[in-house]
């Protein structure tokens, strides 16, 4: 089973961030058979929007904006309704003051 990860990445002024790469690297996956180490990655569109179906499992999540990579931490993806990165990470800590995910600053 899979879950859709969807939302918007914006800068502090509210402008969507184009072509930011979001990576989910599998670190443990006895739920859906996704091989450990495999990577699901997708980019934001011109307005900063993203949407991708991710198989169940445990992943390290990072975002790459230009030459800057920010590790967001470990997440567990389980079957369910669509969810954004903020909800998935379940945190409000700051990792990059120039990127805001779905209205909340990491």
């Amino acid at each position: 089973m899979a879950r859709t990860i969807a939302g918007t990445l914006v800068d502090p002024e509210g402008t969507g961030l184009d072509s930011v790469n979001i990576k989910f690297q599998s670190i443990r996956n006895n739920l859906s058979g996704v091989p450990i180490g495999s990577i699901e990655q997708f980019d934001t569109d011109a307005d900063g929007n993203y949407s991708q179906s991710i198989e169940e499992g445990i992943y390290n999540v990072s975002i790459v904006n230009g030459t800057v990579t920010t590790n967001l931490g470990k997440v567990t993806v389980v079957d369910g309704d669509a969810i954004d990165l903020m909800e998935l990470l379940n945190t409000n800590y700051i990792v990059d003051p120039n990127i805001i995910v779905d209205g909340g600053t990491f």
Side-chain angles (χ1 to χ4, degrees):
M1 300 300 287
R3 186 170 208 172
T4 299
I5 312 299
T8 305
L9 297 180
V10 298
D11 66 17
E13 288 77 38
T15 303
L17 294 171
D18 183 19
S19 301
V20 173
N21 184 256
I22 303 169
K23 292 183 182 183
F24 282 71
Q25 183 171 9
S26 177
I27 57 175
R28 185 171 145 208
N29 207 325
N30 38 351
L31 298 173
S32 65
V34 174
I36 292 173
S38 64
I39 296 175
E40 282 281 342
Q41 61 184 339
F42 47 97
D43 295 333
T44 59
D45 67 14
D47 297 318
N49 299 311
Y50 60 90
S51 180
Q52 181 72 29
S53 179
I54 303 291
E55 291 296 326
E56 292 183 328
I58 300 173
Y59 298 86
N60 280 323
V61 179
S62 61
I63 55 176
V64 181
N65 187 15
T67 60
V68 178
T69 298
T70 303
N71 293 313
L72 301 179
K74 181 172 72 171
V75 297
T76 301
V77 176
V78 295
D79 185 35
D81 295 332
I83 190 169
D84 64 39
L85 281 177
M86 181 69 88
E87 292 171 321
L88 187 62
L89 292 163
N90 194 28
T91 184
N92 291 318
Y93 68 93
I94 295 173
V95 295
D96 184 335
N98 297 313
I99 295 178
I100 299 173
V101 179
D102 301 305
T105 303
F106 281 103

